[in-house]
Amino acid sequence: MNLRKENILIVDDDIDILELLQRHLQAMDYHTYKAVSVKEALFILKDTFIDLIITDIQMPEIDGLQLLKFANEHYPEIPKLVVTGYPSIEATLEVIKSGATDYLTKPFTKAELKEAIEKALTQNTFRKKTKSTPTTSDKYPYSDMVGESEAFKKVTNIIERVKDNKATVIVTGESGTGKELVARAIHYSGKFSREPFIAVNCAAIPENLQEAELFGYMKGAFTGATENRNGFFQAAKGGTLFLDEIGTASLAVQTKLLRALQEKEITRVGSQKIEKVDIRIIAATNANLRNEIKNNTFREDLFYRLTVVEINVPPLRERKSDIAILTEKFLRKYGIEFKDRLLRISPEALKVLERYNWPGNIRELENIIQRAVIMADGSIEVKDLPDFLKYQIEFSDNGLRPLIDIEKEYIQRVLAHTKGNKTRAAEILGIDRKTLREKLK
Ligand SMILES: Nc1ncnc2c1ncn2[C@@H]1O[C@H](COP(=O)(O)OP(=O)(O)OP(=O)(O)O)[C@@H](O)[C@H]1O
Ligand SMILES: [Mg+2]
């Protein structure tokens, strides 16, 4: 074997693809490691010096995006290459955001593969060279999370207290305030950071599949269960399971979850056998669970179990002193991504940002900075910001407007934020769908 050649980890649930890739790579003299699941890949990453990860996106149990996120946090210097059979714009965006260097669509030719690998590997040496420039993350221990306000410090104080133990935590707060980031900060700043962090969005799993996805199942447990399968609980073993939008968990899942929290044990669907679980659970919600208890859609006993430690992430409008530092962070991020350099913002433009109310919180700020970076010629000026931010100034300076106008404008903004999803919009607005529909008329 040629020692100069790099170690490449290939991850795909399709054995045929794995073997095809391996044949190609060996022909190019690379040393290969194969994994048929993300879990297997994690084990290899722990024990092996890997120079490049090539992964599929769509895989059962844990998908490739989770692997990319994990690898970006633990092994940021390893380049990643994504191969997938399902190209879609949305998936591509997610991949780019997750830091994958390139994207290859199946079927691909050997030459395309070779080119993509060489490109990814040279990017690696580039990264190593530029790594020593100080970034905001040196100043802030919680990877990507920045803030200096009192309200933000309250959040980091609790993170400090929970990061090294396995106490259950619930993270609450409006949409876009950074709940998922808080969960990641707890995991990655604590002493279990080398163990898996698995994020599951309960709202994204159909109710009838939730139990099987979370707790695993036995062959024959239901139609379609053709083999024994691990769930997210088994996958997160030793680490953290992040249950996002916990308010949408089915009642069957809630019952099992309560048992997992109280007795530290679970059973797979279709099995009587008790399995001990050793994981930390972090749940998150932007819904008011107390209302859901009243409606009998959320178990009260589970609520009390989950809320022993609650981290309430404050909305951006209550920590406006963080706007400048967040803006600086996003300018750095998108400046480098889109313009290859650091951009500045004029004091006037920053003032506009600081006056605005931020119903979509940090996510909205991030989107606006991203857009401004793309629109701006040099530094970010007031003209590079969307009009509705500026109207807000006009409004506060010189005029009173009828409530209905403001309501209309606000509903449209929330709808834009949820990309037209009315259920989500109604949730944010705190009204039911029917009322929203009437208002839209
Ligand atoms: N303190 C922070 N510093 C830097 N970036 C942040 C911070 N908080 C949030 N962000 C960024 O804002 C965006 C939204 O954060 P996140 O997804 O964690 O919000 P969320 O509360 O989970 O939202 P939702 O309820 O809609 O799921 C992400 O891109 C995240 O990186
Ligand atoms: Mg979230």
Side-chain angles (χ1 to χ4, degrees):
M1 201 194 327
N2 189 336
L3 285 177
R4 262 187 23 244
K5 279 296 185 181
E6 286 84 352
N7 287 341
I8 300 185
L9 170 62
I10 38 185
V11 193
D12 202 310
D13 59 317
D14 182 336
I15 306 278
D16 293 337
I17 297 273
L18 265 188
E19 286 180 349
L20 173 84
L21 279 170
Q22 187 175 39
R23 272 200 308 277
H24 282 345
L25 294 175
Q26 282 173 345
M28 296 173 212
D29 268 344
Y30 291 110
H31 191 59
T32 56
Y33 291 82
K34 280 187 297 187
V36 291
S37 69
V38 168
K39 230 178 335 162
E40 218 172 279
L42 297 184
F43 280 114
I44 296 173
L45 277 170
K46 253 188 212 170
D47 301 330
T48 323
F49 188 89
I50 294 293
D51 298 288
L52 171 68
I53 301 172
I54 302 183
T55 182
D56 186 18
I57 290 293
Q58 313 243 336
M59 286 181 278
E61 296 200 336
I62 309 169
D63 67 21
L65 290 176
Q66 293 284 345
L67 172 64
L68 292 171
K69 275 188 186 164
F70 180 87
N72 282 338
E73 312 236 12
H74 290 273
Y75 311 97
E77 72 289 354
I78 303 183
K80 293 106 195 160
L81 174 65
V82 165
V83 243
T84 177
Y86 309 86
S88 76
I89 293 179
E90 213 168 307
T92 316
L93 275 179
E94 279 246 31
V95 167
I96 293 170
K97 272 194 290 181
S98 72
T101 49
D102 211 345
Y103 193 84
L104 208 54
T105 311
K106 292 177 219 169
F108 45 80
T109 65
K110 205 174 151 183
E112 283 166 341
L113 178 69
K114 184 162 186 275
E115 193 187 334
I117 290 175
E118 280 164 6
K119 194 169 141 211
L121 286 171
T122 42
Q123 201 138 348
N124 185 17
T125 41
F126 170 72
R127 276 193 201 170
K128 272 181 190 150
K129 269 192 232 135
T130 52
K131 228 181 136 186
S132 57
T133 33
T135 63
T136 33
S137 66
D138 296 337
K139 234 161 82 197
Y140 295 91
Y142 309 109
S143 56
D144 272 345
M145 209 170 70
V146 300
E148 285 172 348
S149 61
E150 283 309 307
F152 181 75
K153 279 189 196 131
K154 277 194 195 144
V155 170
T156 54
N157 279 344
I158 313 183
I159 293 177
E160 280 305 306
R161 282 172 200 277
V162 296
K163 67 187 173 73
D164 294 325
N165 57 56
K166 291 212 165 140
T168 306
V169 176
I170 189 157
V171 189
T172 58
E174 291 176 17
S175 182
T177 46
K179 295 185 294 298
E180 178 157 354
L181 217 54
V182 166
R184 288 179 185 279
I186 293 173
H187 179 83
Y188 288 110
S189 67
K191 69 176 186 207
F192 308 110
S193 64
R194 296 304 270 184
E195 305 298 334
F197 175 92
I198 307 279
V200 183
N201 184 351
C202 301
I205 311 174
E207 256 202 51
N208 59 331
L209 296 181
Q210 284 183 358
E211 216 185 321
E213 290 282 337
L214 280 167
F215 301 97
Y217 56 83
M218 304 302 288
K219 183 176 175 178
F222 47 87
T223 7
T226 51
E227 57 188 5
N228 297 345
R229 249 307 154 70
N230 282 337
F232 292 117
F233 265 85
Q234 287 92 2
K237 193 164 164 260
T240 304
L241 180 61
F242 174 55
L243 297 173
D244 205 357
E245 307 211 33
I246 187 77
T248 62
S250 70
L251 285 168
V253 162
Q254 291 180 32
T255 307
K256 280 196 158 177
L257 195 53
L258 183 66
R259 180 150 159 242
L261 294 174
Q262 263 166 353
E263 322 290 343
K264 304 260 172 288
E265 47 189 50
I266 57 167
T267 50
R268 289 167 195 245
V269 177
S271 164
Q272 304 291 328
K273 216 180 106 208
I274 289 168
E275 282 174 57
K276 281 283 169 196
V277 284
D278 164 38
I279 55 176
R280 155 171 51 206
I281 293 187
I282 304 180
T285 181
N286 56 24
N288 186 342
L289 291 181
R290 284 188 181 81
N291 286 342
E292 302 196 9
I293 294 172
K294 269 191 228 128
N295 300 334
N296 288 325
T297 52
F298 203 83
R299 289 182 65 131
E300 191 170 12
D301 44 8
L302 177 61
F303 174 77
Y304 289 117
R305 262 281 154 183
L306 286 173
T307 50
V308 177
V309 180
E310 176 173 348
I311 301 184
N312 180 255
V313 190
L316 188 54
R317 65 182 168 281
E318 286 173 19
R319 43 168 165 152
K320 286 196 166 178
S321 59
D322 285 339
I323 289 177
I325 189 167
L326 284 163
T327 301
E328 187 200 330
K329 185 195 150 72
F330 297 139
L331 278 176
R332 184 189 299 272
K333 175 171 167 191
Y334 293 110
I336 291 171
E337 182 174 339
F338 292 112
K339 297 270 163 92
D340 247 339
R341 65 197 168 98
L342 297 179
L343 294 180
R344 293 189 191 293
I345 182 163
S346 73
E348 296 75 29
L350 184 61
K351 217 169 261 153
V352 171
L353 297 180
E354 281 173 339
R355 284 203 217 167
Y356 181 60
N357 227 8
W358 301 110
N361 293 299
I362 299 180
R363 179 174 300 114
E364 188 182 14
L365 175 64
E366 183 169 351
N367 290 343
I368 282 171
I369 301 297
Q370 182 179 5
R371 175 183 178 277
V373 166
I374 295 169
M375 305 302 284
D377 297 318
S379 66
I380 311 290
E381 303 293 339
V382 175
K383 69 169 173 39
D384 303 314
L385 299 173
D387 286 341
F388 63 80
L389 291 194
K390 297 173 237 168
Y391 291 152
Q392 177 128 347
I393 297 180
E394 269 167 41
F395 168 55
S396 59
D397 279 349
N398 61 15
L400 303 170
R401 292 162 60 197
L403 197 53
I404 189 147
D405 280 6
I406 300 182
E407 183 181 89
K408 189 173 145 201
E409 195 183 297
Y410 183 66
I411 289 177
Q412 273 161 358
R413 212 159 62 218
V414 172
L415 273 171
H417 170 74
T418 64
K419 304 197 179 69
N421 182 334
K422 296 199 182 95
T423 313
R424 251 337 240 125
E427 236 175 72
I428 294 172
L429 292 164
I431 57 178
D432 57 37
R433 274 190 57 121
K434 203 167 131 243
T435 316
L436 177 61
R437 231 178 300 129
E438 273 155 15
K439 285 189 188 295
L440 285 174
K441 272 187 216 147

